[in-house]
Amino acid sequence: MPFLIVSDIHGNREALEAVLADARGLYDRVVCLGDLAGYGADPNFAVEWARSNVSAIVRGNHDKVCAGLESLYSYRPAARASAEWSFNALSAENRAYLERLPRGPLPYEGFDLVHGSPLDEDEYLMSAADVTAIRHDLDTPLSFFGHTHIQGGFLIARNGVKAIDPHRALELENEYTYLVNPGSVGQPRDGDPHAAYAIYSPQDRVVEFRRVAYDVAAAAEKIHAAGLPGSLASRLLTGV
Ligand code: ZN
């Protein structure tokens, strides 16, 4: 029973559709690590897809602000403008869905879903040092996380924390603890503009990291047409 693992779709319909086409036939169930909305011009599409397709999901920080659950005070101008735009663009039903999304960690089928870190849904796990600081508080052998928009994640061994190379399949071993990031579907920030996701097969104990090209120009054009900040469109082209 493989899982499609997606995170940080951010209202990018073109990227989500490309991922679903690329992953067709490879999975039975879908899990999502949050940030359906914010930044992109199609938040309703992403939320409606999630409402009818995901088996398990946690909320992201953008889901909270786009639903009006949290103040925009600490957000940078582009993120703030997109959250305000998304709040108004979302249908009442879709906003209510975002409002009700659970906070991670969410245990599901032998692994945990979190948006930021297992200890704090809003924390960024960017480096091995970030993970080293929390390693003794981790009690689940396998967690999937998002939030950084960087595919890969971290492996925790007795002698230290190592970054996971997303360029090859990850074979899970019993002696390690894993924090695995499928990357961002709708706004990659690891230098590769292709939409990112992962397939996890519990039977084979393998996580496969995948990237797929999508119509970036169309997604960027919609961001411009919506009157959203131009930086949100241009960063899709470079993936940073
Ligand atoms: Zn995000």
Side-chain angles (χ1 to χ4, degrees):
M1 274 279 239
F3 295 94
L4 169 63
I5 317 274
V6 293
S7 190
D8 299 280
I9 296 165
H10 282 294
N12 188 332
R13 176 178 183 155
E14 287 71 24
L16 176 58
E17 287 180 332
V19 162
L20 297 174
D22 189 61
R24 192 164 295 139
L26 300 179
Y27 65 91
D28 299 299
R29 277 179 285 175
V30 184
V31 303
C32 178
L33 312 173
D35 277 2
L36 293 168
Y39 298 138
D42 283 312
N44 283 303
F45 181 85
V47 175
E48 270 150 33
W49 170 79
R51 286 172 64 185
S52 44
N53 290 285
V54 304
S55 299
I57 181 170
V58 290
R59 67 185 186 181
N61 52 314
H62 284 264
D63 299 322
K64 287 189 282 182
V65 291
C66 291
L69 279 179
E70 207 168 68
S71 124
L72 289 160
Y73 177 72
S74 63
Y75 281 72
R76 284 188 286 255
R80 186 183 307 189
S82 83
E84 282 164 355
W85 181 90
S86 302
F87 178 84
N88 291 315
L90 283 163
S91 70
E93 297 78 27
N94 289 338
R95 221 185 292 143
Y97 175 80
L98 292 184
E99 250 177 68
R100 290 193 304 267
L101 287 180
R103 170 205 301 262
L106 178 68
Y108 180 70
E109 298 286 335
F111 52 90
D112 276 6
L113 311 183
V114 304
H115 184 64
S117 117
L119 304 189
D120 176 349
E121 61 180 345
D122 296 332
E123 182 185 3
Y124 288 92
L125 296 178
M126 301 292 293
S127 67
D130 295 339
V131 176
T132 301
I134 61 163
R135 61 174 296 182
H136 295 296
D137 296 310
L138 301 176
D139 46 19
T140 312
L142 175 63
S143 299
F144 289 96
F145 74 104
H147 197 33
T148 63
H149 300 204
I150 296 170
Q151 196 174 44
F154 303 93
L155 169 164
I156 299 130
R158 223 165 295 144
N159 60 355
V161 176
K162 275 196 338 193
I164 292 168
D165 177 7
H167 297 100
R168 55 201 193 94
L170 173 67
E171 292 181 26
L172 301 177
E173 294 178 42
N174 286 333
E175 65 261 46
Y176 302 133
T177 296
Y178 294 91
L179 289 168
V180 178
N181 192 325
S184 167
V185 171
Q187 197 200 74
R189 291 179 198 161
D190 48 13
D192 179 351
H194 295 88
Y197 70 100
I199 300 287
Y200 167 49
S201 167
Q203 210 165 9
D204 303 334
R205 306 262 299 144
V206 170
V207 179
E208 190 192 350
F209 297 101
R210 296 174 67 96
R211 303 300 283 240
V212 60
Y214 72 95
D215 192 345
V216 179
E221 180 47 42
K222 283 188 192 171
I223 287 172
H224 286 299
L228 287 159
S231 60
L232 299 177
S234 56
R235 75 185 304 177
L236 296 181
L237 306 173
T238 55
V240 293

